[in-house]
Amino acid sequence: MADKSAPSTKVTSSHWGAFEVDVEGDRITATRGFSEDPHPSRIPDVLPAAVHHKTRVTRPSFRRGWLETRERGGRGEQDFVELPWDEALDIAAAEIDRIRQKHGNTAIFGGSYGWGSAGRFHHAQSQVHRFLNCIGGYVASFGSYSTGCAQSIMPHVLGVDFLQLLYEHQDGWQTIHDHTETLVMFGGINPKNSQVSMGGITEHQTAGWFDRFAAKGMRCVNIGPQRTDAPEGCDWMPVRPGSDTALMLALACVLEEEGLVDRVFLASHTVGYDRFRPYLIGATDGVPKTPDWAAPLCGVAPEAIRSLARRMATTRTLITVAWSLQRAEHGEQPYWMSVVLAAMLGQIGLPGGGVGYGYGAIGGVGKSLIGLRGMTFPQLTNPVAETIPVARIGDMLRNPGQPYDFDGQRKTYPDIRLIYWAGGNPYHHHQDLNALHEAWQRPETIIVNEPWWTATAKRADIVFPATTPYEREDIGRTNLDDYLFHMPRLIPPVGQARDDYDIFGGLADRCGVGDQFTEGLTSAEWIGKLYAGYRTAAADTGIDVPDLEALKERNWVRLPIQAEGPNRTFFAPFREDPDAFRLGTPSGRIEVFSETIDSFGYDDCPGHPIWFPPSEWLGSATAAAPLHLVSPQPGDKLHSQLEAALADVEGARPETLVIHPDDAAARDIDTGDLLRVFNARGVCRARASVSSDINPGVVALPTGAWFGDPGGNIDPDGNPNVLTLDVGTSRLGQGCSAHSALVQVARL
Ligand SMILES: Nc1nc2c(c(=O)[nH]1)N[C@H]1C(S)=C(S)[C@@H](COP(=O)(O)OP(=O)(O)OC[C@H]3O[C@@H](n4cnc5c(=O)[nH]c(N)nc54)[C@H](O)[C@@H]3O)O[C@H]1N2
Ligand SMILES: Nc1nc2c(c(=O)[nH]1)N[C@H]1C(S)=C(S)[C@@H](COP(=O)(O)OP(=O)(O)OC[C@H]3O[C@@H](n4cnc5c(=O)[nH]c(N)nc54)[C@H](O)[C@@H]3O)O[C@H]1N2
Ligand SMILES: [Mo]
């Protein structure tokens, strides 16, 4: 522990990058950007206030109705009773035991989705999963809110795990810089989002790359509802949200009409184009997918579509697609269609050509690093096989025992009696929060480990106060970054907060699996053990990393793992010899038509890409809900983290809603006005920002505000998830459909 009298400064790591922290006595007093970072994030500015905020959970707390009578309703409405740690752990362990004895481990939901914090040992999700595995397992969740739909569709189309594709088989920024002439960005590439990366991003470089692209004369086209989704200097082609597939089909149709299709590539490297082409040219449904057909759907003039298609066919073109496009109803389609369009252009496997996903979504995409094994706290094996697609939690709670479809499987929702959440905030991340609040009353018991009184903590029965990364020692190291950090313990735990490891250790002891959970090791011993394993694996790759004592001394090191020269993705050898380097699809080729998907018989995701209008988009706008709401990631924070202190900043809440001048004028709205944003699902407040950087008919309200009162009451700080639609992307992907929502806006 720091000497109380001597102020000190240390560097620590986080999902938004490294930063310096000043400590005086028991308090964090200030933060500053890290010296090696060309564009440090401002997110930690509010960190000192957040860490010591009055909304910290300071003691184990029990919802009164649950403690007294085990009553289920009333979550989110009752006060909490504080108990000493030992008694609290006794009660929680007895309840966990009761549920698993009576209903079995399939009655425990431990998916516990969320970003938690960046340190590798105190990774809350690994901690809760390991604990639950020790006591016989839990119902887990598959995929992420970020890319769940892509994780289902892309293996069928490209034969590769989507996350592996993202981090190992896409062109790096240098290759794009050297070779790409036209960068066509569906959903943009936003330096605001690449501020963040899972486990950390130390040098923020995306904006710097775009300066270099501009200097080189690369043509960068941002296709989407907001100009601000790409750096200044990019062309903006405004499209209606949810219509990208129609636009891609029209681009493909121009290639067909004008003889620009690379038929040799299609014949040698793909299967099923002959099954798709009749749909494209209208032979199957009498509707050729021409620019004239697409124009009223996507709002782009036919001539602009034609000239973009010609340019794509005659220059080295990289198509990039933001993850946001698959966080929408029928999100499978723009992802699949982007591959088909790239295949028709015939540039897949050429440097700087083809298609890529999520550049700018997080900072790690596009970095070319030599792969080094990361550091993870082993979760052990889950004896329970049941999982749900991560974004179907509301459906799971509403429909126990009911069947549903997912990626070719007929599955049944489990009957959940106990939820354990650590390191995530479903009342931030899930859609249609008023409906979730209803479904959330059903389980018998909900336990949450949290540093702050988030909306999720307030809706739990048992809340254990967790430390933040600044109150414990850890290691910061991810495969997406070339820095390694010792994250020192900077201050003592706030209140009676404990590390997740100690909370689960205490529960494991009481459930009779203490030795299995801890293996007899303290957290310091675990960190030493995991780090030693990491260091040995690094040495096997020829990379020398300091021993733990030396790393503690130095605080951080930069690892020599930057890949030299243009990177070669597996599409390059596949291009050269598709028989020797088969893809992992059934045909070994890119699947324009998938016999597998076709065999599922899904009317919402047939055997080739197809245009489906979403149930909520501008094409289905009504008088009651005439505007399309997109709810992107917040620029000034990570999801709902540090929200407590941000909400105190003068003028920061309610959250800002961007609206076009025409839509504002029709409602007599000026910048700064307080607004009511509403639809049949809910109501929230927001503050207007009138701007022509957004499409008419579209409004943008970022995620991140904490959810307030349930029910018909107005959500005060502006959480867009009171308005969003909680349906799966389709029976194939079952991803979240956050970006498909219609709303109305009025002055408050
Ligand atoms: N409308 C709409 N909704 C969306 C999206 C969208 O685009 N639009 N995007 C979705 C996406 S992609 C994502 S990834 C999700 C993000 O949703 P989440 O990952 O759930 O959001 P976070 O706010 O990061 O939640 C992390 C929680 O962990 C807590 N925490 C931090 N450190 C620790 C720790 O050490 N221990 C414990 N026990 N807790 C800790 C934090 O206080 C915080 O409450 O949101 C999704 N929701
Ligand atoms: N600062 C910050 N950065 C973050 C995060 C954060 O919380 N804060 N979260 C991180 C996480 S977990 C993730 S998953 C990534 C997400 O990365 P993305 O999925 O790329 O991010 P979003 O911000 O949801 O969406 C980007 C833009 O897509 C546009 N868009 C929405 N719908 C459509 C559509 O139908 N068509 C087109 N063409 N465009 C559309 C919107 O204008 C939106 O601004 O961001 C990461 N980066
Ligand atoms: Mo995400």
Side-chain angles (χ1 to χ4, degrees):
M1 182 51 10
D3 172 356
K4 284 214 172 212
S5 53
S8 71
T9 298
K10 285 275 187 189
V11 173
T12 194
S13 176
S14 70
H15 295 303
W16 53 81
F19 57 100
E20 290 180 4
V21 188
D22 291 347
V23 176
E24 281 178 44
D26 288 352
R27 294 188 74 86
I28 293 177
T29 51
T31 65
R32 267 180 312 280
F34 180 48
S35 54
E36 308 301 301
D37 185 351
H39 292 286
S41 166
R42 300 289 305 273
I43 293 175
D45 288 1
V46 296
L47 191 134
V51 167
H52 301 285
H53 200 264
K54 60 178 186 295
T55 55
R56 283 294 299 267
V57 184
T58 54
R59 291 191 167 76
S61 302
F62 291 74
R63 180 170 65 83
R64 187 176 294 281
W66 185 91
L67 189 65
E68 288 171 356
T69 64
R70 294 293 188 272
E71 168 213 32
R72 294 194 212 185
R75 292 191 176 115
E77 282 144 34
Q78 289 168 357
D79 66 333
F80 282 80
V81 180
E82 296 179 342
L83 290 180
W85 266 108
D86 276 340
E87 198 181 338
L89 289 168
D90 287 346
I91 296 172
E95 176 63 3
I96 294 167
D97 251 338
R98 184 187 73 81
I99 298 272
R100 71 176 168 139
Q101 302 297 346
K102 189 158 171 218
H103 302 286
N105 284 68
T106 51
I108 300 176
F109 182 67
S112 191
Y113 181 77
W115 271 55
S117 56
R120 293 298 87 181
F121 170 68
H122 295 286
H123 179 245
Q125 244 186 66
S126 305
Q127 296 280 346
V128 64
H129 290 167
R130 181 180 171 99
F131 164 67
L132 293 174
N133 285 337
C134 287
I135 61 158
Y138 63 97
V139 174
S141 54
F142 168 82
S144 64
Y145 277 77
S146 320
T147 59
C149 164
Q151 285 171 264
S152 295
I153 183 81
M154 296 314 263
H156 291 294
V157 177
L158 289 173
V160 62
D161 175 80
F162 184 65
L163 301 182
Q164 208 190 340
L165 173 71
L166 286 180
Y167 304 127
E168 294 169 31
H169 298 294
Q170 302 201 133
D171 282 343
W173 292 117
Q174 184 70 51
T175 304
I176 297 171
H177 170 270
D178 293 348
H179 297 277
T180 305
E181 294 166 293
T182 307
L183 186 63
V184 178
M185 307 174 284
F186 288 90
I189 290 183
N190 197 326
K192 175 252 310 173
N193 280 8
S194 57
Q195 237 182 119
V196 159
S197 192
M198 279 104 66
I201 172 86
T202 308
E203 294 178 25
H204 292 91
Q205 294 167 328
T206 309
W209 278 113
F210 271 83
D211 292 342
R212 296 180 61 189
F213 296 168
K216 234 199 100 192
M218 190 191 298
R219 171 108 180 264
C220 302
V221 189
N222 165 24
I223 301 180
Q226 297 197 78
R227 186 199 299 276
T228 50
D229 284 332
E232 271 179 49
C234 298
D235 293 346
W236 181 33
M237 181 179 269
V239 297
R240 287 166 138 194
S243 73
D244 304 82
T245 307
L247 177 57
M248 291 176 191
L249 284 163
L251 291 164
C253 203
V254 176
L255 302 182
E256 268 291 342
E257 284 173 352
E258 304 193 3
L260 297 170
V261 177
D262 187 336
R263 296 200 193 275
V264 177
F265 185 85
L266 286 179
S268 53
H269 290 77
T270 74
V271 293
Y273 187 72
D274 56 327
R275 309 276 305 265
F276 167 73
R277 187 172 175 273
Y279 169 75
L280 181 65
I281 63 171
T284 45
D285 57 359
V287 184
K289 310 301 174 299
T290 60
D292 291 306
W293 164 80
L297 300 174
C298 62
V300 181
E303 220 17 70
I305 300 176
R306 287 184 203 284
S307 80
L308 180 62
R310 289 176 199 132
R311 186 178 165 97
M312 290 170 79
T314 51
T315 58
R316 182 62 57 84
T317 294
L318 181 65
I319 300 167
T320 66
V321 191
W323 294 346
S324 55
L325 272 76
Q326 51 85 64
R327 281 206 301 290
E329 228 185 330
H330 302 296
E332 294 82 5
Q333 302 307 322
Y335 264 53
W336 196 351
M337 189 55 213
S338 64
V339 176
V340 174
L341 181 58
M344 292 170 72
L345 292 168
Q347 299 186 22
I348 292 174
L350 292 177
V355 59
Y357 302 90
Y359 288 98
I362 56 167
V365 177
K367 289 204 108 172
S368 300
L369 299 176
I370 296 164
L372 267 193
R373 209 184 72 187
M375 251 186 72
T376 47
F377 181 49
Q379 300 186 5
L380 307 175
T381 317
N382 187 351
V384 171
E386 275 188 81
T387 63
I388 60 157
V390 66
R392 301 276 47 82
I393 180 172
D395 286 347
M396 172 186 79
L397 295 174
R398 279 184 289 272
N399 304 302
Q402 294 302 306
Y404 69 101
D405 290 305
F406 174 45
D407 199 6
Q409 307 161 61
R410 187 80 174 151
K411 297 178 65 117
T412 306
Y413 285 121
D415 186 359
I416 296 301
R417 306 298 176 121
L418 182 138
I419 295 177
Y420 207 130
W421 221 293
N425 185 0
Y427 281 89
H428 158 69
H429 68 232
H430 195 62
Q431 287 58 62
D432 197 355
L433 289 178
N434 287 319
L436 180 67
H437 178 76
E438 295 284 309
W440 192 255
Q441 308 297 332
R442 294 188 176 211
E444 295 176 33
T445 301
I446 296 175
I447 312 179
V448 167
N449 294 5
E450 242 301 332
W452 284 277
W453 280 107
T454 62
T456 302
K458 286 183 183 169
R459 283 164 182 74
D461 302 315
I462 305 175
V463 185
F464 288 123
T467 52
T468 67
Y470 323 103
E471 295 151 51
R472 61 198 185 211
E473 180 193 18
D474 213 332
I475 300 291
R477 161 73 193 129
T478 137
N479 290 339
L480 307 179
D481 194 42
D482 46 355
Y483 284 75
L484 169 66
F485 295 89
H486 176 250
M487 299 163 67
R489 185 196 208 219
L490 298 163
I491 52 168
V494 169
Q496 293 184 9
R498 288 189 182 174
D499 299 348
D500 291 294
Y501 180 67
D502 296 327
I503 300 171
F504 290 119
L507 291 173
D509 267 343
R510 287 164 174 81
C511 293
V513 293
D515 290 344
Q516 209 186 327
F517 180 77
T518 63
E519 297 180 23
L521 304 179
T522 63
S523 18
E525 287 164 344
W526 265 113
I527 289 168
K529 177 177 154 143
L530 297 176
Y531 187 78
Y534 162 71
R535 192 165 171 249
T536 310
D540 292 344
T541 323
I543 304 295
D544 198 23
V545 301
D547 68 28
L548 186 54
E549 285 314 308
L551 182 67
K552 282 186 190 180
E553 191 64 33
R554 290 162 67 174
N555 201 172
W556 59 271
V557 289
R558 184 165 189 234
L559 301 171
I561 54 172
Q562 300 75 21
E564 299 289 329
N567 61 330
R568 274 174 69 82
T569 74
F570 66 34
F571 291 109
F574 166 70
R575 182 181 183 89
E576 278 154 29
D577 188 346
D579 290 319
F581 297 95
R582 291 168 58 86
L583 300 181
T585 52
S587 61
R589 302 287 199 268
I590 294 167
E591 304 222 337
V592 176
F593 185 95
S594 162
E595 296 286 353
T596 310
I597 294 178
D598 187 55
S599 75
F600 299 157
Y602 296 157
D603 54 2
D604 57 358
C605 191
H608 62 72
I610 183 169
W611 158 247
F612 282 112
S615 61
E616 292 192 28
W617 73 304
L618 286 174
S620 65
T622 62
L627 301 169
H628 191 127
L629 172 78
V630 291
S631 43
Q633 310 290 5
D636 55 353
K637 59 200 290 240
L638 174 65
H639 310 140
S640 70
Q641 302 198 27
L642 312 181
E643 168 68 9
L646 199 74
D648 290 343
V649 174
E650 178 80 26
R653 291 291 171 269
E655 187 48 274
T656 303
L657 174 124
V658 184
I659 183 166
H660 188 271
D662 295 350
D663 298 314
R667 292 164 178 79
D668 197 18
I669 290 169
D670 285 323
T671 290
D673 284 350
L674 272 183
L675 306 175
R676 211 159 62 90
V677 192
F678 56 102
N679 61 19
R681 291 179 288 270
V683 195
C684 70
R685 298 201 309 163
R687 195 177 298 278
S689 168
V690 179
S691 166
S692 50
D693 285 344
I694 195 163
N695 251 8
V698 184
V699 292
L701 178 64
T703 62
W706 279 354
F707 179 54
D709 292 337
N713 298 341
I714 186 160
D715 178 64
D717 287 347
N719 183 325
N721 278 325
V722 300
L723 305 161
T724 50
L725 182 64
D726 181 16
V727 298
T729 51
S730 81
R731 287 192 280 168
L732 187 102
Q734 294 286 15
C736 97
S737 297
H739 285 301
S740 306
L742 289 170
V743 299
Q744 178 58 294
V745 174
R747 256 175 49 192
L748 191 69

